[in-house]
Amino acid sequence: MTSMRDNRDIACYLVTKVSNWRGNYKRVFSVGTLGISTYNPNSLKETNQWMYSDFVNIVPIVRAQESNEFIITFRKSGKKNDTMKFSSEHRADIITEALRYRGDYAETPKPNLRYNAYKLHWSDTRLPVLLEVGPASLDQVDPTTNTLLCSYDYKEMEGFVKINDCTGGFAVVYGGYGRQHLFAAEKRDEMLQRCVEQAADWVGLPLRSVVSLDSSTLQRCLLGKYGKFSDDVSLTSMAEFTVQKISPRHNNEQIRRLLCLTETCLIERDPATYHIVTLRPLSDIFALIRNRDNPQSFTLEYVKGQVRSYTSTNRYSVLVHAGVVCRV
């Protein structure tokens, strides 16, 4: 039987435990691979643990926007439910991380609504996808394999833009710098409204109202899809390196990419077409990590926790150039 001894902490946050009889005091709230834990921040001694099979729910107290409070519900002995209240400025992050494991909770969740859609892909093709409106994110699912391709967390969304000259077209404005991910979906308006409701109910966030402007054409969105980094300075390389990307989306196969460094961004390009595959602001890079055992392997870790791994025969030059531009 699986136990919490095998649990690995994934994301930890300093919170305030709100108690009517003990008063308020600090705790470290951890979302792990097998359950939720709390620790004393001074001694790091475990104070509570719940396996996901005993964890019922986590929800924001919506009326308490300023206090950032949320409640967890869990099962005690005898299958009775109990609750605890916490407060944190990182409430949206905590709830989002915890809801990634919602399928393992004590109570089976209701199925999320899914909508048929097309993704306007970086290769200039339209890829059929399913868009699933979850409690903490809008998820892109492969309709053939039912595999989760990526999640657009509500906490990172800046809003939605309707594309007037594309049937069902809209952009997810994401990441804090105006990056636009372009889709066309059946029942678009219903789906977007559902996202707004889910973000408010589950994460406690008011998503920016869906807007529809005369200037929101497909061509305009394509020209500005990288937000404030759509200009030539941000997209023009100062250095380029051929790498192999180790992609979990492709079963950890190695995908050939051009890793490009500009004045403001790190860009992955497809070497065959030179199309941009991904773009990240240099300010989002947290660490450059060399693999101790493999002289060609390295990893980029981002501020918000994402990790991307690569190999290159020119690893030293890649990391030196990346280190220089990240410090500028």
Side-chain angles (χ1 to χ4, degrees), residues 2 12 62 91 108 113 165 172 185 195 245 255 281 284 295 308:
T2 304
C12 299
V62 180
R91 179 177 74 174
T108 303
L113 293 177
D165 60 348
V172 179
C195 287
K245 182 178 183 180
I255 308 296
D284 281 359
R308 300 293 182 265

Side-chain angles (χ1 to χ4, degrees), residues 9 12-14 26-30 37-49:
D9 293 328
C12 299
Y13 302 88
L14 185 64
K26 296 296 183 181
R27 284 288 181 259
V28 173
F29 190 100
S30 168
S37 308
T38 61
Y39 301 95
N40 183 313
N42 298 316
S43 65
L44 294 184
K45 181 179 179 181
E46 170 197 314
T47 55
N48 281 293
Q49 274 193 330

Side-chain angles (χ1 to χ4, degrees), residues 100-210:
R100 298 195 200 282
Y101 297 91
R102 187 167 173 248
D104 299 327
Y105 286 7
E107 297 180 357
T108 303
K110 295 180 180 178
N112 297 324
L113 293 177
R114 288 184 167 187
Y115 298 86
N116 293 318
Y118 287 93
K119 171 76 181 289
L120 303 183
H121 194 248
W122 58 262
S123 61
D124 289 337
T125 59
R126 289 194 175 199
L127 297 181
V129 296
L130 291 173
L131 291 178
E132 181 174 312
V133 181
S137 60
L138 177 64
D139 298 332
Q140 182 182 326
V141 178
D142 186 315
T144 304
T145 64
N146 206 38
T147 303
L148 176 64
L149 298 177
C150 67
S151 294
Y152 301 97
D153 295 339
Y154 300 137
K155 68 185 180 70
E156 302 296 339
M157 285 189 187
E158 300 167 56
F160 301 104
V161 174
K162 294 181 182 178
I163 303 173
N164 293 325
D165 60 348
C166 177
T167 303
F170 70 97
V172 179
V173 187
Y174 195 79
Y177 57 93
R179 173 72 163 96
Q180 297 183 47
H181 298 270
L182 309 179
F183 297 89
E186 296 179 0
K187 301 181 180 179
R188 173 192 64 188
D189 292 353
E190 175 189 315
M191 185 190 71
L192 297 185
Q193 181 58 35
R194 183 64 176 163
C195 287
V196 172
E197 293 169 356
Q198 291 285 81
D201 294 343
W202 285 96
V203 191
L205 290 176
L207 277 185
R208 183 180 299 177
S209 300
V210 178

